[in-house]
Amino acid sequence: MLAATALLLTAGCSSGGEGGPDGSGRTGTGKAPGASAPRATASVPPAKGSVRVLRTVAEGLKTPWGLAPLPGGGLLVSSRDEGTISRIDEKTGRTTELGTVSGVSPAGEGGLLGIALSPDFASDRMVYAYFTSASDNRIVRMRYDERRPAGEQLGAPDTVFKGIPKGFVHNGGRIAFGPDGMLYAGTGESGREGLSQDRTSPGGKVLRLTPEGEPAPGNPFPDSPVYSYGHRNVQGLAWDDRQRLFAAEFGQDTWDELNAIRPGDNYGWPEAEGKSSGAGFHDPLAQWRTDEASPSGIAYVDGVIWMAGLRGKRLWRVPLNGTSASAAPQAFLTGDHGRLRTVVPAGGDRLWLVTSNTDGRGDPKDGDDRVLEVRVR
């Protein structure tokens, strides 16, 4: 069914709780395959950590954007500009194209963006995708049938939610199923700043939907998919081990942000960028100068948010104490692999890390695009 359409430890692209309406997250039930599956943490993580690149899993990818680990092994990766989804064998690096997602209209920052697996993937084999069409950004789902020939394994897309504003920039694009089994989407304001404060528009928001695309039960605004608003361009979503939601978003010229998301809260854009004295705005838990970050994907592992930086070309470690940063964020891999787009838990102390050097803004000297396996603490 279609639904309508410089671094500071403070509570900020650059050129609390999830689950229930009270933010407690205690209404959560199932867990989506490939979603963050952190181990319980008994204490605040160490102030300093470490990162070690273990290996290159796959290389030669074209504008990779979303990544979804399959429960039985393998990684699904979306190509923004090609409009395709491929499967990577994480042991051999072999990449096989599943098929092209019909209706994708790539341009600028738009195209085939985030992907996620249905919470019932083992039985329904549904892959969800967020993409830019000729008229809007939308979320669809497709059946994945690996018994069919390569290139023909994706069924026709069924539109779940449409009408998200599109633009040459600020299309958002990250989707993920939360611990409550609901579908969350980070959207952008498509370059039209006023949409972020307009609660009737899905642009510049974090949305919370049922798997069928309806406003999820318990959302903060009646009959609305809007979960939080006042965002500029959200491209990172992750939950901690208490089901609290975090989101990364691009600032304009001054501050990029990592936010703890509470249902119904206003995150300030365009009146505020980064920490603000404005009444009624929820301040970020950490902010960065835009040349140090331009954050896209985030992942949670053992009390730490790991944040991929595009323009910053680095992986940020943000240790948490609840919904606050417990120590100064720490940068790793600065300039080693170019622009970093997506980071996903790989189990235990490992991450999958996706580069983004073929997106039109990368430097050829940073090489092609690849998936890396990384060990973190």
Side-chain angles (χ1 to χ4, degrees):
M1 175 181 284
L2 298 181
T5 50
L7 191 59
L8 297 177
L9 291 178
T10 63
C13 145
S14 29
S15 315
E18 175 281 329
D22 62 351
S24 68
R26 290 189 173 87
T27 61
T29 53
K31 187 180 292 293
S36 300
R39 295 171 288 176
T41 53
S43 60
V44 174
K48 299 293 184 181
S50 64
V51 170
R52 179 186 172 196
V53 176
L54 300 178
R55 64 189 176 107
T56 297
V57 177
E59 53 192 339
L61 304 177
K62 298 178 181 178
T63 59
W65 211 100
L67 189 78
L70 292 165
L75 305 170
L76 298 188
V77 60
S78 61
S79 169
R80 185 192 71 182
D81 294 350
E82 301 289 317
T84 58
I85 296 177
S86 297
R87 177 172 180 162
I88 297 170
D89 184 319
E90 77 276 25
K91 296 178 181 177
T92 66
R94 183 181 177 217
T95 302
T96 305
E97 185 177 303
L98 305 188
T100 300
V101 180
S102 62
V104 176
S105 181
E109 295 175 0
L112 179 57
L113 304 175
I115 55 176
L117 304 183
S118 163
D120 298 317
F121 181 78
S123 57
D124 66 23
R125 310 301 289 179
M126 286 292 182
V127 178
Y128 285 68
Y130 182 119
F131 71 75
T132 311
S133 75
S135 59
D136 62 4
N137 285 298
R138 58 183 57 194
I139 301 169
V140 303
R141 58 185 175 186
M142 304 154 284
R143 190 177 303 278
Y144 168 33
D145 186 352
E146 54 194 317
R147 298 168 299 180
R148 296 180 61 84
E152 302 175 13
Q153 295 178 348
L154 292 179
D158 172 36
T159 300
V160 171
F161 188 86
K162 63 181 180 178
I164 303 168
K166 64 171 282 189
F168 193 77
V169 295
H170 308 172
N171 290 289
R174 194 70 60 184
I175 56 173
F177 280 94
D180 58 355
M182 297 296 108
L183 176 62
Y184 292 74
T187 73
E189 30 82 308
S190 64
R192 289 171 280 173
E193 297 178 355
L195 296 183
S196 297
Q197 292 294 324
D198 179 359
R199 295 207 308 259
T200 67
S201 170
K205 310 294 190 297
V206 173
L207 307 178
R208 180 173 178 262
L209 309 164
T210 68
E212 292 72 38
E214 297 292 342
N219 276 2
F221 308 110
D223 301 317
S224 171
V226 173
Y227 194 64
S228 62
Y229 66 105
H231 299 289
R232 185 169 182 265
N233 191 21
V234 176
Q235 289 191 3
L237 299 171
W239 289 263
D240 70 4
D241 50 10
R242 294 186 62 185
Q243 302 185 7
R244 293 174 292 211
L245 176 60
F246 297 83
E249 80 177 79
F250 294 79
Q252 185 173 40
D253 299 317
T254 310
W255 298 115
D256 291 327
E257 302 180 2
L258 177 64
N259 287 297
I261 301 299
R262 290 189 60 85
D265 276 11
N266 182 349
Y267 288 78
W269 180 255
E271 283 79 10
E273 181 182 0
K275 180 179 166 70
S276 167
S277 58
F281 297 150
H282 191 139
D283 281 347
L285 70 92
Q287 63 185 32
W288 293 260
R289 294 294 182 183
T290 55
D291 61 349
E292 296 178 321
S294 295
S296 189
I298 60 174
Y300 175 87
V301 176
D302 289 342
V304 172
I305 291 287
W306 296 91
M307 187 179 83
L310 289 164
R311 184 178 174 193
K313 298 183 179 181
R314 65 198 78 180
L315 180 66
W316 284 101
R317 178 186 186 269
V318 186
L320 299 175
N321 183 3
T323 56
S324 300
S326 61
Q330 188 179 7
F332 293 95
L333 308 180
T334 303
D336 292 350
H337 302 280
R339 292 162 61 83
L340 304 180
R341 170 71 66 182
T342 295
V343 57
V344 176
D349 59 357
R350 295 173 302 119
L351 298 172
W352 305 119
L353 184 60
V354 182
T355 70
S356 189
N357 297 315
T358 58
D359 63 358
R361 295 185 179 178
D363 189 329
K365 74 177 189 310
D366 290 323
D368 63 2
D369 279 327
R370 57 196 62 200
V371 177
L372 305 171
E373 183 180 6
V374 178
R375 177 169 291 150
V376 298
R377 75 167 180 86

